[in-house]
Amino acid sequence: MDTLRRRPRLIASVLAAAAVVAGLSGCTNAVRMQPAPSANAAACASAQVRLPATLGGTLALRNTSAQSTAAWGSPSAVVYHCGVAVPTVSDLPCFSKGSVDWLRDDRGKQVVYTTFGRAPAVQVVIDTSRATSDALQTLDAAVSTLPEDGHRCLDPQDVS
């Protein structure tokens, strides 16, 4: 008779433990990232709340483990950091997308885009096998809220 009473308790305990493990493993789905040096800037927080829930209609925003960061897609196809070092001079190609100027740094399968003329700066890394630079246009509403610092992309003809 004692075994019959213990069995429901044992089953309940096993189910409770499984629920706790499942709940904790839900937290591990966050993309592990490191915050940028100026991630705590108020302007980063203001941009963060304007980030879109999806990119390209298919890449969903995921939870991340660091302040002023974001990632879209599983595995991550687009990664965002606010508060990176502000570039002032660069020999990287510079272009405008929407109302934001970007520097482009090709690194094989990844392209690293860094805002130019915004402080704090944002860096967006795109896995080119899964996403395109069109993601920058979608991020424009958030990134364009960052304060301008007076720097602009120049046409090569303007630099002589």
Side-chain angles (χ1 to χ4, degrees):
M1 187 96 154
D2 255 352
T3 10
L4 293 176
R5 287 187 195 154
R6 288 185 199 159
R7 187 167 278 173
R9 286 185 192 157
L10 177 63
I11 291 171
S13 296
V14 168
L15 290 175
V20 167
V21 168
L24 291 175
S25 68
C27 296
T28 62
N29 288 334
V31 178
R32 296 184 61 63
M33 297 176 73
Q34 294 296 317
S38 297
N40 62 349
C44 283
S46 181
Q48 189 78 18
V49 299
R50 291 173 172 79
L51 292 174
T54 60
L55 291 177
T58 59
L59 300 173
L61 180 63
R62 298 177 58 200
N63 290 326
T64 59
S65 63
Q67 182 176 354
S68 300
T69 62
W72 291 266
S74 182
S76 301
V78 178
V79 177
Y80 166 101
H81 280 92
C82 185
V84 300
V86 176
T88 54
V89 176
S90 178
D91 58 358
L92 292 171
C94 190
F95 66 97
S96 297
K97 189 88 159 176
S99 60
V100 178
D101 287 348
W102 295 93
L103 297 172
R104 179 187 171 117
D105 186 4
D106 290 284
R107 297 183 185 173
K109 192 174 118 172
Q110 293 184 331
V111 179
V112 178
Y113 296 94
T114 306
T115 54
F116 189 72
R118 305 277 171 169
V122 163
Q123 191 170 73
V124 176
V125 180
I126 297 179
D127 175 343
T128 58
S129 68
R130 302 195 49 239
T132 68
S133 65
D134 291 345
L136 300 178
Q137 184 69 38
T138 309
L139 295 173
D140 186 72
V143 177
S144 66
T145 64
L146 296 169
E148 295 182 50
D149 70 4
H151 291 92
R152 288 246 175 261
C153 287
L154 298 175
D155 189 301
Q157 297 172 359
D158 296 337
V159 183
S160 337

